[in-house]
Amino acid sequence: MEQIIKKIVVLVIFLSLISFGKKETPNTYSLTVKVKHLRNAKGVVQFAIYNKEGSIPDEKYKRYYLKNTASISGDSSSFTFKNLPEGTYAVNILHDENENGKIDKGFILPKEGIGFSNYESIGMRNRPKFSKASFILNTDTEKEIKVIYF
């Protein structure tokens, strides 16, 4: 009888440790970003997502959470980020016509197309910032970003 009790105690402890050691996996979602009306099919479109206040603007692409490129078909491109944890994100796109991975500028303004989530235009009074570009991701989501050429 004593052996059976010991085995039951060991089994209960073992099962408790197994259930205690399990971590709940956070909900993850996909984010599909689409860009239309590119001025040409040269190069690629670079898609960067951000998840921290103060991370954009990011002209040198050093503060992004995830980044990838996609080819252009006609005048459009898209990319899907998968397995993103629930949270607050912002999107930045670059029509990288020469595929050098950076925003090429003229005197002050970009020579290539750029865009941010929740922005229809960019200017001196409407500069990109995370607080305006951000959105909550808590379901699979599709965002269309307007590309802006100067």
Side-chain angles (χ1 to χ4, degrees), residues 114-125:
I114 60 171
F116 295 88
S117 45
N118 303 330
Y119 278 80
E120 291 294 316
S121 65
I122 299 171
M124 294 303 286
R125 294 179 178 238

Side-chain angles (χ1 to χ4, degrees), residues 62-128:
K62 297 199 182 265
R63 296 186 296 257
Y64 60 86
Y65 175 66
L66 291 171
K67 178 177 78 165
N68 215 315
T69 59
S71 60
I72 298 169
S73 177
D75 70 346
S76 303
S77 185
S78 68
F79 185 80
T80 300
F81 294 95
K82 297 179 180 176
N83 299 316
L84 295 172
E86 184 173 329
T88 303
Y89 295 91
V91 177
N92 166 235
I93 62 98
L94 167 66
H95 180 191
D96 191 8
E97 294 176 83
N98 61 3
E99 298 186 50
N100 67 355
K102 63 181 186 176
I103 299 172
D104 295 316
K105 289 185 172 184
F107 178 62
I108 295 175
L109 300 173
K111 291 181 180 180
E112 299 169 307
I114 60 171
F116 295 88
S117 45
N118 303 330
Y119 278 80
E120 291 294 316
S121 65
I122 299 171
M124 294 303 286
R125 294 179 178 238
N126 194 29
R127 293 180 182 200

